[in-house]
Amino acid sequence: MASYNIDTNKNEDAMKLLVSQMQRKFEIISLGGGQKKIDKQHDLGKLSARERINLLLDPHTIPLEIGAFAGDGMYEEHGGCPAGGVVVVVGKISGRTCVIVANDATVKAGAWFPITGKKNLRAQEIAMENHIPIIYLVDSAGVYLPMQDEIFPDKEHFGRIFRNNARLSSMGIPQIAAIMGSCVAGGAYLPIMSDESLIVEGTGSIFLAGPYLVKAAIGEDVDQEVLGGATTHSEISGVTDYKMPDDQTCLKTIRELVDKMGPRPSAGLNREKSIESVGERDSILGLMPNDSSKPYSMLEVIRHIIDSGDFLQYKEHYGQTLLCGYARIDGWSVGIVANSREIVKTKTGEMQLGGVIYSDSADKATRFILNCNQKKIPLVFIHDVTGFMVGKRSEHGGIIKDGAKMVNAVANSTVPKITIIAGNSYGAGNYAMCGKAYDPRFIAAWPTAKIAVMGGAQAAKVLTQIQVSSLEAKGHKPDPEGEKKLYDQISSRYTEQTTPYYAAARLWVDAIIDPRDTRDFISKALQAADHAPIEPFNTGVLQT
């Protein structure tokens, strides 16, 4: 493969700036509704959502946060919804990997926006797919009524949460719920459909209808504590299992409950002693050019993520725009499928563009994915793809058929799949490389990620021509200056929609991560995935 003179210092500076911007953004988001509302929680004797999670987790462990940027830039007319109004992490409790879901009562009293529901469903999906316990720390005013039509009735809306409660229970996946604040209306079913429930005295309450609604419905006067407080549900109704004096005791009790859980089956993923990667941790920042159109060595990126040692390439000199091979990441055995951004010359003299999937690349990746499933080796996909090759030669060569084979193999793959979107992730390339629609166990993006149906420049040109043609048909053809203004407007809007923050806000990715944390992200993801037995693999019909 070719080598390029890359200004690593310039690239590193650009990446560090992006990472710094991401960290500053997260610092603001992590305050939820703001410090004043956190202080108000403290005045009520309650911990914040993040404080609760920190006390629940094992000391000196760093969790994997899911959906930290959910809701970013959305619902501004409603005051915003930082982190989707709920904090979700995958971390260790009493030595066991669990999913923790904590409502953030500083954000609209923990009310459920549409993205809140989507994030809760994602948390349950992670628990289901990986067969790991899920802990709910409930403190919510229920559905955000001004948007009830977008959160209440549909298949992937609020009610799906309770369906998942039932499914998780039937699968033998433990669920523990702590009522640490309000829990009203339909939301009351979530903790009671869990295996065990705790309630905090004085702050926890649970009922189908609050005092005001009871008064309006049946004319009965009753206060919140008598209607659905800790004493009522622990001593009279028997709805809850444990009555707790405060947040700290409640969280300590959850740790004790998790500690008493019996052994669980595992996938039996291959892991050996971890060996540090070949490159210094910070040097990965200088590998990717700030200009996403420039070539660089994905092989070097891989070498900075995997354990020190060889990356055993599969069909190294065939289908070179996709890199496939075996390695270890923090000791875990993995198969890696990554887009090469180098421009390569084949033995036939043909130049192949980096980041494009050709027929030979798709054929190679399909076979590699089949092999990994055969040998029960998890797959790691690293995106920097502009799509499949187009044009007469590619169409005559069967690019659609070869691409379909790769998509089929990815869709039916049963080994754990972890996806990292490092650069571009455009069009059907996103699908073939195990984008969100193809059920990766976990999916993360670097700050340099771009997710869209095609590149911004191409899309803006196409959309501008459509708009110009429409205006011409009405007899209003714009002048060159007007056409450029139209192009700039479309380009700006489209560029915004391709950013990793736009994707993370809508949970198309689970997290935006510092490239230096890629190795750790993949390792923690595989640690969670190792709890679920691997199902038999079958691709069905493949065109040859």
Side-chain angles (χ1 to χ4, degrees):
M1 293 204 178
S3 60
Y4 300 93
N5 293 320
I6 295 177
D7 188 339
T8 55
N9 291 331
K10 184 177 179 181
N11 294 342
E12 185 174 337
D13 289 345
M15 184 68 85
K16 281 184 175 178
L17 179 61
L18 291 174
V19 169
S20 176
Q21 290 169 347
M22 177 190 73
Q23 290 169 340
R24 287 199 300 271
K25 199 176 185 72
F26 174 74
E27 286 169 6
I28 296 169
I29 286 171
S30 65
L31 290 174
Q35 189 59 50
K36 287 184 179 179
K37 291 191 177 179
I38 293 174
D39 293 341
K40 189 175 180 181
Q41 288 276 99
H42 293 164
D43 292 341
L44 295 171
K46 297 163 67 176
L47 299 172
S48 70
R50 292 185 182 274
E51 288 169 338
R52 288 168 175 168
I53 288 173
N54 289 338
L55 269 182
L56 189 54
L57 290 167
D58 291 350
H60 313 300
T61 61
I62 300 173
L64 193 62
E65 181 159 351
I66 304 298
F69 295 97
D72 181 54
M74 300 167 67
Y75 316 120
E76 296 299 328
E77 67 276 22
H78 297 278
C81 187
V86 61
V87 183
V88 174
V89 305
V90 178
K92 294 274 191 178
I93 302 174
S94 299
R96 183 179 292 249
T97 300
C98 299
V99 182
I100 305 170
V101 182
N103 296 115
D104 188 348
T106 70
V107 180
K108 298 290 184 184
W112 288 55
F113 283 70
I115 197 65
T116 316
K118 188 173 183 179
K119 189 169 175 179
N120 275 263
L121 288 171
R122 176 60 181 143
Q124 290 182 319
E125 181 180 51
I126 289 170
M128 281 184 184
E129 287 182 339
N130 299 289
H131 288 214
I132 54 179
I134 182 165
I135 315 298
Y136 308 98
L137 307 181
V138 184
D139 193 348
S140 171
V143 167
Y144 183 61
L145 292 178
M147 301 186 76
Q148 65 85 27
D149 61 320
E150 297 181 48
I151 182 60
F152 172 68
D154 210 345
K155 181 178 178 180
E156 299 298 330
H157 283 178
F158 194 59
R160 188 78 171 183
I161 304 290
F162 316 133
R163 175 264 188 194
N164 285 352
N165 284 139
R167 291 287 299 123
L168 283 157
S169 185
S170 73
M171 294 170 69
I173 298 170
Q175 299 176 88
I176 298 172
I179 302 155
M180 309 182 80
S182 297
C183 184
V184 300
Y189 288 105
L190 184 148
I192 310 312
M193 291 189 74
S194 298
D195 302 327
E196 293 181 283
S197 61
L198 307 87
I199 187 167
V200 178
E201 192 171 11
T203 56
S205 60
I206 178 170
F207 32 66
L208 294 180
Y212 294 119
L213 186 53
V214 168
K215 175 68 174 178
I218 62 174
E220 182 178 69
D221 288 307
V222 60
D223 67 40
Q224 182 165 304
E225 192 64 27
V226 171
L227 182 64
T231 299
T232 293
H233 287 310
S234 297
E235 301 179 19
I236 301 173
S237 71
V239 164
T240 56
D241 304 311
Y242 306 93
K243 181 181 177 182
M244 299 285 106
D246 51 43
D247 278 13
Q248 290 84 347
T249 307
C250 181
L251 297 166
K252 181 175 180 291
T253 304
I254 294 173
R255 288 184 54 81
E256 291 174 0
L257 291 171
V258 173
D259 180 60
K260 305 301 186 294
M261 291 179 183
R264 307 291 298 175
S266 79
L269 301 180
N270 182 317
R271 191 182 194 187
E272 294 184 354
K273 184 179 178 181
S274 174
I275 304 173
E276 283 300 315
S277 60
V278 69
E280 291 185 12
R281 188 171 182 268
D282 283 357
S283 61
I284 194 173
L285 299 177
L287 298 179
M288 179 178 284
N290 188 40
D291 182 346
S292 63
S293 67
K294 289 184 177 179
Y296 64 93
S297 174
M298 178 62 80
L299 192 56
E300 280 302 308
V301 173
I302 292 171
R303 285 175 177 154
H304 280 69
I305 294 171
I306 64 174
D307 289 5
S308 182
D310 291 335
F311 174 52
L312 180 56
Q313 283 205 60
Y314 175 79
K315 295 183 183 289
E316 180 179 353
H317 302 292
Y318 176 75
Q320 295 180 68
T321 63
L322 274 178
L323 300 175
C324 298
Y326 303 103
R328 290 189 182 276
I329 296 178
D330 196 23
W332 296 100
S333 169
V334 296
I336 296 174
V337 180
N339 304 110
S340 171
R341 284 308 303 251
E342 297 193 69
I343 299 171
V344 298
K345 188 173 183 179
T346 67
K347 288 184 178 179
T348 63
E350 179 189 4
M351 297 297 292
Q352 292 193 335
L353 301 174
V356 179
I357 302 176
Y358 291 77
S359 283
D360 55 356
S361 306
D363 177 68
K364 164 179 160 179
T366 300
R367 182 62 181 269
F368 181 72
I369 291 165
L370 299 181
N371 282 339
C372 286
N373 276 271
Q374 179 84 347
K375 295 184 283 189
K376 300 192 183 308
I377 299 174
L379 285 158
V380 174
F381 294 85
I382 305 176
H383 290 218
D384 196 348
V385 58
T386 53
F388 284 88
M389 190 59 189
V390 297
K392 183 177 72 173
R393 184 172 179 176
S394 293
E395 297 293 358
H396 289 187
I399 186 68
I400 295 174
K401 178 181 64 178
D402 293 317
K405 285 191 293 186
M406 184 176 172
V407 169
N408 188 316
V410 172
N412 285 298
S413 182
T414 57
V415 296
K417 296 174 291 190
I418 315 298
T419 298
I420 305 295
I421 302 177
N424 300 323
S425 186
Y426 294 154
N430 172 275
Y431 302 158
M433 292 292 293
C434 196
K436 178 67 172 177
Y438 288 78
D439 299 320
R441 296 287 183 93
F442 295 90
I443 177 170
W446 286 7
T448 44
K450 295 181 177 68
I451 305 169
V453 72
M454 65 177 72
Q458 300 97 309
K461 287 177 184 176
V462 171
L463 291 169
T464 300
Q465 286 306 310
I466 291 172
Q467 292 264 24
V468 168
S469 297
S470 176
L471 290 169
E472 285 178 346
K474 297 174 183 177
H476 304 296
K477 181 178 179 179
D479 56 29
E481 186 176 333
E483 189 170 329
K484 183 181 182 303
K485 184 178 179 181
L486 185 60
Y487 172 84
D488 289 342
Q489 288 173 345
I490 293 171
S491 180
S492 175
R493 184 175 71 246
Y494 195 90
T495 298
E496 180 189 349
Q497 292 175 355
T498 65
T499 68
Y501 296 103
Y502 192 91
R506 289 152 184 81
L507 287 174
W508 299 346
V509 296
D510 292 322
I512 305 174
I513 62 172
D514 183 331
R516 292 170 290 194
D517 295 331
T518 306
R519 176 180 164 84
D520 188 50
F521 178 91
I522 294 170
S523 179
K524 287 178 179 176
L526 290 172
Q527 191 171 67
D530 194 32
H531 292 78
I534 297 172
E535 299 295 326
F537 173 66
N538 187 350
T539 61
V541 177
L542 287 178
Q543 283 196 16
T544 58

